Structures are given as structure tokens and as C-alpha cells.
Amino acid sequence: MQVNLGVHGERSYEISIETGNLDRLGEKYRHVQSQSEQAGRVKIGEKIAIVSNPTVFGLYGERAISALKRANFEVSYCELPDGEKSKNLRSIEHIYDHALEHGLERSSTLLALGGGVIGDMTGFAAATWLRGLNVVQVPTTLLAIVDSSIGGKTGVNHPNGKNLIGAFHQPRLVLADPQVLATLPAREFRAGMAEVVKYGVIGDPELFELLESAPSLTQAQIDPLLLATILTRSAAAKADIVSKDEHETQGLRATLNYGHTIGHAIESVTGYQVVNHGEAVALGTIAAGELALKLNLWTAADANRQSTVLQNAGLTVAALPTAIEPANIDQIIAALKADKKVQAGKGVFILPTQIGATKTIEYRPDDLAHQLVSDPLIKQVLTAMLPIQSI
Amino acid sequence: MQVNLGVHGERSYEISIETGNLDRLGEKYRHVQSQSEQAGRVKIGEKIAIVSNPTVFGLYGERAISALKRANFEVSYCELPDGEKSKNLRSIEHIYDHALEHGLERSSTLLALGGGVIGDMTGFAAATWLRGLNVVQVPTTLLAIVDSSIGGKTGVNHPNGKNLIGAFHQPRLVLADPQVLATLPAREFRAGMAEVVKYGVIGDPELFELLESAPSLTQAQIDPLLLATILTRSAAAKADIVSKDEHETQGLRATLNYGHTIGHAIESVTGYQVVNHGEAVALGTIAAGELALKLNLWTAADANRQSTVLQNAGLTVAALPTAIEPANIDQIIAALKADKKVQAGKGVFILPTQIGATKTIEYRPDDLAHQLVSDPLIKQVLTAMLPIQSI
């Protein structure tokens, strides 16, 4: 499938999700290179620097390098530490130093091999070195395949907030090999399903029905054919939205934030150390579904359908990691106020009106507090989290 | 005048150069805000953070703040240290911290009040905070008015090279008040004239003739009316080129690098401590003119016309600061190789074919060495510079 961007398609790119893709990486990118040349687009040169972390590189690094070398690319490897803690400007400077040492030019490519953290950092370094290198995303987690690798959002964390530092920079190719999901920790797989459920609820009722009818949505038991469909369909949903609203200026891309407003606040208040992003989104989705019910936006039947699917993926409040001490509701409100989408003191909440449709609700974080704490389920979601001072 | 960018003009902006503009800053930006709103462009909110340094802010900060406050904007001030040495990621982090503390949102504006260094840093921080804030350029040096404030090139230095870290991010308004040039150090004024001469040589023979016929091009003696014409005509030349080649992909914007290839190498080899940017460009222009003569690209008469105009602005090899020890030609070659425009080992040289026209020459830095050192004048330019280890 394709993300279509630019009046003459000058920022368009292919998303390829196929078994065996990892070994076809070099040949696929050669194809992008020659197409790009014919279309007179930004040049793609011979140098590629793979950016990854020890865990992912240990599993797939050699195969990626071999595939690129078979296609005669000049390959180097830039290693970053594992985990969200490394998602800062120091890591970006490490990529810059690598780029300088290896003589990367404007036509060179940074290739992100990893999950969302690696993808976001590699994209940001590519956006800001020599005013823009090419970037290829090779996502290796469920969340990165269906979400973060597509759409050009790149960035790192500021000590006081996630992804506050960033830029839009579209990849030249997104290439995923579903086989890599076999080595993904079960917790990561479950977290990624939160974003999949999101696509169903915000705009793809057929995808939602597929999820609903599956006997299981866990990594161990999911049907491989269903998984393939889920990956393609979710990526297509993201690609479609990004194609219509590249820079989140039309309101459409904002619908992707379903479950993320409260999710981000939970991540922030717990210092990014208790739940991972997908888990926070799952909690945010549960809370948003409940809030929609409270505001009479959708029916109890729809809310139940959502709960059942999340449960089928192992995403329930009880199953997710919770903290020892309950969070202070004031901290959640403060985190909602600091959300980077807040404009003139007002935030935007994406809430469902039925399975497959959403409505955008403006809110003032203070006003929302009352709604949030007066609902037992939302309160349970919010106060299960431990306040931690900083990331 | 106007920079026209985007299919529907969605990145277009006005360049206003008029006496008294500094006091009209608030009312002008209000006008941009309401036009933007009508056109459905990226929103401009009420918060503006002025980024400046102690010297410029001491001279013009209060007037800028008053003008913005009279138009009811919410204004804050973020101070950065003076000079090129501060042009690094630490300063950018300082701007980020200010943005966070003052609750800047995506619709907020960073306003650069200063020369090229302040403008480049402010633009880069705006490009990368919350994936893009609005930026206004209020240039206060000749070089910034005619060149760096226009066109959206933003960035900071890497310890090993100038402007290696950066992004394209167009301003919403460029507003200059020629009166500020009265307080500019004479050396800075002279340096800015190097870029003015460049516009004449690369594409505006009428501007060149104006410069040629002037009794003097120095700050103390230049005719104020001629200066006004120079500012407008140079900015218009830059605006025109940027409008046609926003991201330097069409070759046209590359013509702006006339004098800059050797200029950048000289700056790099001397650790950015001997000559300033404009002076380096003047030296690079002298060398490029000589190289063009050597390659029979233009006539000795044209080369002489260029020398005379540069001389009239005080830009001669003898008048510019030179270093105690001569530079090693190998260092110059190494610096030419590290130029960020080098692609697949080949660099691009912009050389004049007559006053008002250029030709693009591909070169390999090693091959060029012979041409460079075998010419007495070029050798004089290059070897007058002192090698210094790092900036």
C-alpha cells in the first residue's frame, strides 16, 4: 500500500508488510531508488546507516546488513541503548557523530531497525542532519508496524515531556516482516493491539468485527492469517489518514489520538516507567469509552463491544501493570494541561459515537476533572498509577 | 515583497523592509495573523517569545516588546549569549526550556531579533519544538536582512562543522528596519556587502551597476537611498530564488553559494575565529572570480569589475583580517570534502560566466587542489588563514 503525499506525489512512499521482507530489504530499496530517480525526486545515494539497539540488532541486524550488501549498498551500523530512557537529544547527537564519521551526505539514508523509540529518533536525526537525509523505517514491533513507522512524526523526549522535541519527516519506504513479531515479548505484542483496536473504533468497523470474532488476540494464540490482515488493515488506515492530513492541520489526523489524551497523561504522571505506550493507550481507551458513555455519545452496547475486544487482547485494567500508590488526580489534570495539542488553554478529546465513528470534543482540563473523578471506572484507571518525579 | 511558497501559497510570507518597521512590529504581525486566519493557514496565537542576545536586545529589545504589547500580544524574552560560539544544541535546549516554562503552544511564535546566528537558532528551535512553532525574523544586521532571514534555512553548528544540524522552516514574516544598521559595527556592515555583491554577480546586473557607480559602499559613506535600494533589491533576489527552489533541489538555490564553497572552507580551517561569514564569502568570491578567469569562464574585464566593487566595499584580501601562520592547503581540501553539498565525492562550484550569470561546475576536491594552489591570488587568499583546531 501507499502513503500519498505532495501535489505531485513527491513525498509519497510504499508500505510493504510481507513475510520474507527483511531479506529483500536491499532489492526493495534499490527499486525505490530507481523509481525516485525517474520521477526526479530527492536523490537516494549508496550510503545507508542502520540505527538500532543491541536487542533488535542482535536478532535481525546481520540479516538486514546482508540484504543491503547483496544489493551493493554501503552499510554502517549506529548503536543506541535500549529503551525509552535513551530517547533524548544525547542519542541524536550520537547519530550525528556517526553520520559525520561515516561521511553521510544529503542523499544518504538512515535506516531505523527497531520499535517506536528507534524509529522516532532515527527519523528526527534524519530530519535535522544536513537539513534532511533520507530515512527508511523497518519496524520490528507490532506498535511500530501499525502506527509509529507510518506518517513522518519524529522526535525525542524533553526531560519534562514526551516527544516535545520533534519534526515531520516522511520516510522513503516502510518495510516490515511480520515474522519478526515471533520474537517480540508478549507484553509488547499486547501493547500494540491497543492501537489496532483504535483503528477499528475510530473508522474501520469491519476490522473491529474481525477482532471481535477472533477466538483470541494474544500473541500465543492469534491466528496468523488474522494477524496478517490486522497488520495490513491497520497500516492502511494510518496511511489513509496521513495522506489526507500530513501535518495534523485538518483535524482528521487528530482522530488517531483516540485513547491518547488520557494515555499520555498516565504515561507522564507515572514517569514512563510503569506502563508502556500501548498499555497507556489501552487505559486511555477504556477511560475515553467510559467518558463517551457518560456524555451519552455512544451506547452501553458499543462500550461493551470495545471492552470485550480489549479484554480479548489481554488489555484490562486488572491485567495491566499498576502502581503501588494511587496517583493524585491533580497530577493527571496538570499533565492534560501540558499536552502539546492544547491550544489557548483548550484541549481536544476524540470520543466515539459508535464503533467506526468519532466526534471531536473541546475541553478545558479543569472542567474535565469533575467528569473524570466522578466515574468509578475512570477513577480506577487513573488512580491505579504511581506518581514518579521525573523520567 | 513576497516569498511565494506552496501550491496554494500556504507557506508564503511577506518581507517588509521599511524605516519605522520596528515600532510597527505588533500591528504588522496582527495583520499576518488575520490574513492567515482568513486563508485557513497554520494558526497564529497570542504568545510570542523574543529570542535575542544582550547586545541587540539592549539596543532594540524594549522597542520590539512595546510594539508587540501595543498590539496586545503576550510577550516573553529568551536571552542567548552573543556570538557564533553559542550556536549549538545547548542554546537550542535553552530555547526549549523557555518555551516549556512559558507554556508556548503550536500556535505560538518565536521571534528572532538579531543577526544570522540568532535567526538560524530561533528558526531551528521553532522547527523542532512541538513539531513546529511559528517563527518571525526581525534581522538586525546587513547580512541577515539581505540573506539569512529569508528562505527558511535554520540550524546550529556541530563541533566539527558549521550548520550541519538544521532544518528548513519558513518564517511567517520577515520584518526589517533599515535604521538598525546605524548601530551595526562597521566590520559587520562590510561583511554583509559581500552577499550584496553576490546577488549582482549571480543574477542582477542592474544591481551590480548601481554598486559599481556608487562613490562608496562603506557604512560611513554610502548614500542612504542607495542603501535602501540595495536592501530591497537583494532581498527580492533571494526571495525570487527561494520561491523557485525552496529546498535546494532544483539547482537554482545552489547559485546562492557563489563564493561560499571556498568561503566555508576558509571559515572551517580557521575555526570560525579569524574571519566572520561575510568576510569569508568575500575571500571565497575573490578566489572564485579568479578561478573562473583561469578556466576561461569569464573575461578579465568582468573579473576586474567584481574586484573593483568588492574593493569599494572595503573587501580586499589586504583589508580583511588574516592569520599569523599560513594555512596548509591540505586542510582547505579536507574542508572542501566535508562540505555538506558534496554528493558521491563530488562538489559543485558556482562560477560566473559574466556579470549577472553563473555556471555550475562539478569538481572533485582533490583535483581542484592543483588549480587552487597554482594561482598566486587564490594561494594568497587561502594561505593567509591560520589553522585552528576546533571552534
Side-chain angles (χ1 to χ4, degrees):
Chain A
M1 74 203 83
Q2 184 90 5
V3 178
N4 297 306
L5 294 171
V7 186
H8 307 292
E10 64 272 17
R11 286 189 307 285
S12 296
Y13 52 94
E14 191 198 346
I15 302 165
S16 172
I17 306 175
E18 268 177 59
T19 297
N21 258 352
L22 195 56
D23 302 309
R24 289 193 289 266
L25 183 51
E27 109 202 27
K28 284 260 185 193
Y29 198 46
R30 273 278 171 231
H31 185 63
V32 173
Q33 184 192 46
S34 74
Q35 281 187 316
S36 173
E37 185 117 8
Q38 280 164 30
R41 291 180 52 182
V42 173
K43 210 185 152 194
I44 295 174
E46 297 302 308
K47 286 189 184 175
I48 299 178
I50 297 179
V51 181
S52 192
N53 62 37
T55 305
V56 176
F57 193 79
L59 289 165
Y60 303 110
E62 289 309 323
R63 274 173 68 193
I65 287 182
S66 298
L68 291 167
K69 285 195 171 165
R70 276 199 305 279
N72 297 313
F73 283 107
E74 284 174 50
V75 192
S76 63
Y77 171 47
C78 172
E79 186 169 285
L80 297 181
D82 283 317
E84 182 87 28
K85 270 192 192 173
S86 71
K87 198 177 175 187
N88 54 44
L89 282 180
R90 298 297 86 73
S91 293
I92 299 300
E93 289 184 275
H94 183 67
I95 304 177
Y96 292 157
D97 290 343
H98 179 96
L100 193 75
E101 272 166 42
H102 290 78
L104 297 199
E105 304 169 349
R106 281 188 178 169
S107 63
S108 301
T109 299
L110 295 184
L111 185 149
L113 178 69
V117 172
I118 286 291
D120 284 6
M121 288 200 288
T122 307
F124 185 67
T128 53
W129 185 247
L130 309 183
R131 297 197 193 96
L133 305 183
N134 296 300
V135 66
V136 167
Q137 296 285 350
V138 182
T140 60
T141 64
L142 179 53
L143 193 140
I145 293 173
V146 300
D147 184 16
S148 62
S149 66
I150 304 161
K153 280 195 179 179
T154 73
V156 296
N157 301 332
H158 182 274
N160 292 93
K162 212 178 151 180
N163 294 330
L164 291 179
I165 301 163
F168 284 98
H169 191 59
Q170 300 294 343
R172 303 303 301 266
L173 172 68
V174 178
L175 183 138
D177 190 330
Q179 282 188 321
V180 303
L181 296 180
T183 57
L184 193 67
R187 184 179 170 189
E188 294 280 323
F189 187 92
R190 185 182 66 179
M193 287 304 296
E195 300 284 2
V196 173
V197 173
K198 176 187 80 177
Y199 292 118
V201 175
I202 67 171
D204 190 344
E206 284 180 32
L207 170 63
F208 191 89
E209 282 161 27
L210 280 174
L211 299 172
E212 219 168 15
S213 60
S216 170
L217 295 171
T218 60
Q219 184 185 31
Q221 299 183 309
I222 195 167
D223 172 57
L225 275 177
L226 174 65
L227 179 57
T229 307
I230 280 174
L231 297 180
T232 313
R233 200 130 185 163
S234 299
K238 177 81 184 258
D240 181 52
I241 289 172
V242 170
S243 295
K244 290 171 182 156
D245 185 13
E246 182 177 6
H247 296 123
E248 204 162 350
T249 49
Q250 310 301 315
L252 187 61
R253 191 160 180 165
T255 61
L256 293 170
N257 282 309
Y258 177 52
H260 283 59
T261 309
I262 289 177
H264 285 151
I266 290 172
E267 282 182 283
S268 167
V269 167
T270 56
Y272 305 96
Q273 294 187 354
V274 177
V275 289
N276 63 31
H277 178 66
E279 289 168 343
V281 169
L283 289 166
T285 303
I286 294 167
E290 185 72 8
L291 190 60
L293 188 60
K294 223 176 154 55
L295 300 173
N296 287 317
L297 290 174
W298 71 348
T299 63
D302 276 341
N304 281 336
R305 287 177 69 194
Q306 176 178 280
S307 306
T308 308
V309 167
L310 286 169
Q311 204 169 345
N312 205 7
L315 295 162
T316 62
V317 179
L320 293 176
T322 51
I324 306 147
E325 293 177 43
N328 186 326
I329 194 71
D330 292 342
Q331 291 179 294
I332 299 276
I333 304 306
L336 286 170
K337 280 186 190 173
D339 189 291
K340 63 179 172 297
K341 286 168 196 85
V342 168
Q343 301 268 12
K346 270 190 269 181
V348 163
F349 228 116
I350 305 301
L351 293 177
T353 54
Q354 63 184 66
I355 298 294
T358 60
K359 194 171 171 176
T360 304
I361 308 285
E362 277 203 341
Y363 73 98
R364 293 186 178 276
D366 289 313
D367 300 345
L368 192 68
H370 180 70
Q371 294 285 349
L372 294 175
V373 290
S374 65
D375 182 277
L377 178 60
I378 298 176
K379 203 173 172 186
Q380 189 194 347
V381 169
L382 296 181
T383 55
M385 297 294 122
L386 171 75
I388 289 169
Q389 294 316 313
S390 75
I391 59 168
Chain B
M1 74 204 82
Q2 184 90 4
V3 178
N4 297 308
L5 294 171
V7 185
H8 307 292
E10 63 271 18
R11 288 189 304 287
S12 296
Y13 52 93
E14 190 196 347
I15 302 165
S16 172
I17 306 174
E18 267 177 60
T19 297
N21 258 351
L22 194 56
D23 302 310
R24 288 193 290 265
L25 183 51
E27 107 202 29
K28 284 261 185 192
Y29 198 46
R30 272 279 170 231
H31 184 62
V32 173
Q33 182 191 45
S34 75
Q35 280 187 317
S36 174
E37 184 119 6
Q38 281 165 30
R41 291 180 52 182
V42 173
K43 211 185 150 194
I44 295 174
E46 297 302 308
K47 286 189 183 174
I48 299 178
I50 296 179
V51 181
S52 192
N53 62 36
T55 305
V56 175
F57 193 80
L59 289 164
Y60 302 110
E62 288 310 322
R63 273 174 69 195
I65 288 182
S66 298
L68 292 167
K69 284 195 171 166
R70 274 198 306 279
N72 296 312
F73 284 107
E74 283 175 52
V75 192
S76 63
Y77 170 47
C78 173
E79 186 169 286
L80 296 181
D82 283 317
E84 182 86 31
K85 270 193 193 174
S86 73
K87 198 177 175 187
N88 54 44
L89 281 180
R90 296 301 83 76
S91 293
I92 299 300
E93 290 184 276
H94 183 67
I95 304 177
Y96 292 157
D97 291 343
H98 180 95
L100 194 74
E101 271 165 43
H102 291 78
L104 297 199
E105 304 169 350
R106 283 188 176 169
S107 63
S108 301
T109 300
L110 296 183
L111 184 149
L113 178 69
V117 172
I118 286 290
D120 284 6
M121 290 200 286
T122 307
F124 185 67
T128 54
W129 185 248
L130 310 183
R131 297 197 193 95
L133 305 183
N134 295 301
V135 65
V136 167
Q137 295 284 351
V138 182
T140 60
T141 65
L142 178 54
L143 192 140
I145 293 173
V146 299
D147 184 15
S148 61
S149 67
I150 304 161
K153 280 196 179 179
T154 73
V156 296
N157 300 333
H158 182 274
N160 293 92
K162 211 178 154 180
N163 294 331
L164 292 178
I165 301 163
F168 284 98
H169 191 59
Q170 299 293 342
R172 303 303 302 266
L173 172 68
V174 178
L175 182 139
D177 190 331
Q179 282 188 321
V180 302
L181 296 180
T183 56
L184 193 66
R187 184 178 170 190
E188 293 280 323
F189 188 92
R190 184 182 67 179
M193 286 304 297
E195 301 284 1
V196 172
V197 173
K198 176 186 81 176
Y199 293 119
V201 176
I202 66 171
D204 190 344
E206 283 180 33
L207 171 62
F208 191 89
E209 281 161 27
L210 281 174
L211 300 173
E212 220 169 12
S213 59
S216 168
L217 296 171
T218 61
Q219 185 186 28
Q221 298 182 310
I222 195 167
D223 172 57
L225 274 178
L226 174 65
L227 179 58
T229 307
I230 282 175
L231 296 179
T232 313
R233 200 132 184 162
S234 299
K238 176 82 184 256
D240 181 52
I241 290 173
V242 170
S243 294
K244 290 171 181 156
D245 186 12
E246 183 177 6
H247 296 123
E248 203 161 349
T249 49
Q250 312 300 315
L252 186 62
R253 192 160 179 166
T255 61
L256 294 170
N257 282 309
Y258 176 53
H260 284 58
T261 309
I262 289 176
H264 285 151
I266 290 171
E267 282 182 282
S268 168
V269 166
T270 55
Y272 305 96
Q273 295 186 352
V274 177
V275 287
N276 63 31
H277 178 65
E279 290 167 343
V281 169
L283 289 165
T285 302
I286 295 167
E290 185 72 8
L291 190 60
L293 188 60
K294 221 176 155 55
L295 299 174
N296 287 318
L297 291 174
W298 71 349
T299 63
D302 276 341
N304 280 338
R305 288 177 68 195
Q306 178 179 278
S307 306
T308 308
V309 167
L310 286 169
Q311 203 171 346
N312 206 7
L315 294 162
T316 61
V317 180
L320 294 176
T322 50
I324 306 148
E325 292 178 44
N328 185 326
I329 194 72
D330 293 341
Q331 291 178 295
I332 299 276
I333 304 306
L336 286 170
K337 279 186 190 175
D339 189 290
K340 63 179 173 296
K341 285 168 196 84
V342 168
Q343 301 269 10
K346 269 189 270 182
V348 164
F349 229 116
I350 306 300
L351 293 177
T353 54
Q354 63 183 66
I355 297 295
T358 60
K359 193 172 171 176
T360 303
I361 308 285
E362 278 204 340
Y363 73 97
R364 293 186 177 278
D366 289 312
D367 301 345
L368 192 69
H370 181 71
Q371 294 285 348
L372 294 175
V373 290
S374 64
D375 181 276
L377 178 60
I378 297 176
K379 204 172 169 186
Q380 188 194 348
V381 169
L382 296 181
T383 56
M385 297 294 124
L386 171 73
I388 289 169
Q389 294 316 312
S390 75
I391 60 167

